[in-house]
Amino acid sequence: MTGLRQADYDVLVMGAGHNALVTAAYAAQAGLKVGVFERRHIVGGAVSTEELVPGYRFDYGGSAHILIRMTKVVQELELNRYGLHYLEVDPMFQASDGETPWFMYRDAERTIDELNEKFPGQGDAYRKFLSDWTPFADAVADLFNSAPGPLELGKMLINSGKGRDMSQQLAAILRPYGDVARETFSEERVRAPLTWMAAQSGPPPSDPLSAPFLLWHPLYHQGGVARPKGGSGGLTKALKLAIEENGGDVFVNAPIKRILVENGKATGIELEDGTRYTGRSVVAGSHILTTAAALPDEYVPEAAKKVRVGNGFGMILRLALSGKVKYRNHTEPDSRVALGLLIKNERQLMKAYGEYLAGEPTTDPPIIAMSFSAVDDALAPPGCDVLWLWAQYYPYELASGTWESRVAEARDNILTAFEHYAPGTRDMIVGELVQTPQWLESNLGLHRGNVMHLEMSFDQMFSFRPWMQASQYKWPGVKGLYLTGASTHPGGGIMGASGRNAARVLIHDMMRRRVWGLGLP
């Protein structure tokens, strides 16, 4: 692998999660020879879909495509040419305590009218909330789409000021999002679902410095919610085809054992079967701890070993139903179309977090319910539904027992919690996939079951993600080794911004030695 031998590839990519595929697709589009190596039998990582029950297509991970619509990934890579077809989800959300549901539409004014009709005055509060924080949300979206620098908070304040008192704005940003929600909305049936949505990033409503998870809420009205036709994996299937059409190779069932380093430079990869490939650069789209484990010890700094992964996060129950989901207070088809923000009250979320801290699966979880067969008839047989139930919080390490011994209990509690909203669902189950934190680690490579890779606390975001010296999508101390994925800025979720940002850095560096015809702005 030394001397004048020509490299097998310009870019070797470790893992085929959606961010890794985005980086690979941009590199291939730019004229680089790309090879992608995925350990599983399909591409996509946590953004993949298979028919696990005859006639029913199950997503393995992320299902609602929201943040990617804040980027130019789909347009720049022309993914519609490769079979990606997005279906709009509107209403976007059904917010409910089980008794009084309300809908959140892509159209903000329609949402405001809905709120004022059901909770007088709360629509006006929602309008003010959007007006106050849309500039901040826009500034956050801009930061998501660029490599992070050391002064992000200052940039957000400057770019989102809009004539407001900067000191008051900073004070709000530094507070827990639960406090900000309580000050903004007097009606708990309005603020609890919004708080629950903010909790999807991980930190509880009481954590300081967590307000941005609520304050970027206006972005939902800008980008909306969508689903790829045929399942969430439609995105990654299109990315794979884009790579291949531009001359790249994508290998599945090809787990990488180690990243080869010579004299401080990444020179190739070795698969678990011993096969080696050389490359001018390596992009690791895997979890940061998986990347570290593939490197020689002398190239793994202490900071890489000290990243905080946390102790689990959520649990997902994926169901094939013989009929359609029917909520107690049902508006057909809106109740099935919208993502259900199902939470009884704020105490339910805090109780769940308290049980999690004690090492116990929550007994009565708040739920995000998704029945996307309401907008996509390719997911289930006629008259039937698929139903995904995401619940929080669930520790990877349990105080007592194991996940093997307690999975049935946790599954039953999720179903019981959901039947508060949709009685009789249990009787329609004809197939299922139960994804505990242990399952997520074993099957999707999500260490300790954290779907965000690393905890999304302020000290592990922006230029601190995964740690400061590695925040520019490069592994410090190893030339030619690049990083992408949820372990890097801007973190987890189906966005592709990390993949796009990493591609810009990678291609810029490689242009120094050779001129490429680039399509990347």
Side-chain angles (χ1 to χ4, degrees):
M1 295 180 62
T2 59
L4 300 177
R5 176 187 170 187
Q6 184 175 353
D8 296 318
Y9 291 95
D10 295 310
V11 182
L12 297 164
V13 181
M14 179 178 180
H18 82 286
N19 278 298
L21 291 173
V22 167
T23 301
Y26 276 115
Q29 185 187 69
L32 297 167
K33 187 179 181 182
V34 175
V36 180
F37 298 83
E38 166 59 41
R39 70 180 183 90
R40 296 176 71 219
H41 64 288
I42 56 172
V43 301
V47 186
S48 55
T49 306
E50 279 196 299
E51 185 174 321
L52 298 185
V53 177
Y56 297 84
R57 296 185 61 78
F58 280 33
D59 293 338
Y60 280 110
S63 291
H65 290 225
I66 303 173
L67 295 175
I68 195 169
R69 293 154 76 84
M70 301 292 111
T71 76
K72 298 179 180 179
V73 168
V74 173
Q75 296 86 349
E76 289 174 348
L77 294 175
E78 300 181 283
L79 296 183
N80 292 341
R81 288 181 51 206
Y82 305 104
L84 177 62
H85 175 57
Y86 271 119
L87 303 169
E88 296 297 322
V89 176
D90 198 13
M92 301 184 295
F93 303 105
Q94 175 202 181
S96 180
D97 62 354
E99 302 298 332
T100 311
W102 58 275
F103 292 99
M104 192 182 306
Y105 300 92
R106 175 82 178 270
D107 183 342
E109 283 300 319
R110 188 177 179 188
T111 304
I112 290 165
D113 291 343
E114 167 93 354
L115 283 169
N116 274 333
E117 179 183 345
K118 293 191 174 179
F119 312 104
Q122 293 303 282
D124 297 329
Y126 192 79
R127 178 185 284 111
K128 185 176 187 305
F129 173 71
L130 294 181
S131 175
D132 286 348
W133 292 106
T134 291
F136 171 82
D138 290 340
V140 170
D142 289 342
L143 286 172
F144 284 171
N145 284 290
S146 61
L151 303 174
E152 291 86 358
L153 188 57
K155 290 179 183 177
M156 282 191 291
L157 289 171
I158 292 170
N159 293 339
S160 65
K162 198 181 177 181
R164 301 177 64 213
D165 186 319
M166 191 172 293
S167 63
Q168 291 183 359
Q169 188 169 3
L170 178 60
I173 291 170
L174 298 179
R175 300 186 66 193
Y177 63 83
D179 288 1
V180 176
R182 280 190 291 275
E183 292 176 359
T184 305
F185 301 101
S186 59
E187 173 57 64
E188 186 174 21
R189 288 172 293 180
V190 173
R191 67 175 183 262
L194 298 177
T195 300
W196 173 218
M197 187 64 187
Q200 300 309 296
S201 293
S206 56
D207 264 18
L209 306 176
S210 64
F213 297 128
L214 173 69
L215 299 179
W216 66 48
H217 177 91
L219 294 176
Y220 299 132
H221 289 289
Q222 294 182 25
V225 179
R227 278 281 300 175
K229 177 73 173 176
S232 193
L235 169 65
T236 47
K237 287 173 65 177
L239 286 165
K240 176 179 181 289
L241 290 175
I243 294 164
E244 292 173 335
E245 182 166 299
N246 283 293
D249 297 319
V250 180
F251 302 92
V252 295
N253 297 310
I256 293 176
K257 182 178 181 180
R258 59 174 58 96
I259 299 169
L260 304 174
V261 182
E262 292 184 5
N263 300 318
K265 184 182 187 308
T267 58
I269 58 169
E270 181 181 332
L271 304 185
E272 288 188 358
D273 66 5
T275 304
R276 291 188 171 196
Y277 294 88
T278 58
R280 297 172 59 216
S281 62
V282 176
V283 177
S286 48
H287 193 289
I288 200 70
L289 295 181
T290 302
T291 303
L295 284 167
D297 289 343
E298 61 267 31
Y299 293 107
V300 181
E302 281 300 309
K305 302 172 184 177
K306 293 180 179 179
V307 293
R308 289 185 299 100
V309 178
N311 184 28
F313 184 3
M315 177 174 166
I316 315 100
L317 183 57
R318 302 189 185 272
L319 304 173
L321 303 181
S322 61
K324 295 182 179 181
V325 177
K326 182 67 179 292
Y327 290 90
R328 282 197 293 129
N329 295 291
H330 191 68
T331 302
E332 179 65 36
D334 288 358
S335 297
R336 292 171 52 244
V337 168
L339 280 76
L341 302 176
L342 309 181
I343 181 169
K344 296 173 183 174
N345 48 52
E346 292 164 309
R347 294 186 303 279
Q348 184 185 23
L349 180 57
M350 295 309 295
K351 179 175 182 289
Y353 190 70
E355 290 173 317
Y356 162 83
L357 291 178
E360 291 294 319
T362 180
T363 52
D364 182 27
I367 289 171
I368 302 286
M370 295 163 277
S371 48
F372 290 120
S373 43
V375 296
D376 184 358
D377 58 12
L379 301 181
C384 303
D385 261 343
V386 290
L387 173 65
W388 318 146
L389 302 177
W390 164 271
Q392 290 173 219
Y393 287 90
Y394 293 86
Y396 173 82
E397 290 184 20
L398 296 168
S400 61
T402 65
W403 271 112
E404 287 76 13
S405 66
R406 301 196 67 178
V407 62
E409 165 198 345
R411 168 197 177 274
D412 191 63
N413 285 338
I414 292 174
L415 281 173
T416 299
F418 182 68
E419 292 219 339
H420 170 72
Y421 307 91
T425 302
R426 191 190 306 265
D427 299 333
M428 294 190 290
I429 298 172
V430 295
E432 64 185 57
L433 173 65
V434 183
Q435 297 173 298
T436 66
Q438 182 68 62
W439 189 100
L440 294 171
E441 179 182 71
S442 300
N443 291 274
L444 297 180
L446 299 169
H447 286 252
R448 295 176 65 82
N450 189 341
V451 297
M452 299 291 180
H453 282 207
L454 308 178
E455 289 190 328
M456 295 280 286
S457 52
F458 198 81
D459 64 314
Q460 289 194 145
M461 293 182 66
F462 303 111
S463 59
F464 301 110
R465 193 172 188 90
W467 70 94
M468 185 169 289
Q469 291 75 17
S471 65
Q472 297 298 302
Y473 305 102
K474 298 181 182 182
W475 188 277
V478 181
K479 186 178 180 181
L481 177 55
Y482 297 84
L483 304 173
T484 189
S487 296
T488 66
H489 170 77
I494 304 173
M495 190 174 193
S498 169
R500 183 177 184 268
N501 295 342
R504 294 164 77 100
V505 174
L506 167 74
I507 295 170
H508 176 269
D509 287 354
M510 298 195 77
M511 281 179 63
R512 294 176 181 175
R513 296 184 294 275
R514 182 173 174 181
V515 178
W516 303 96
L518 298 180
L520 183 69

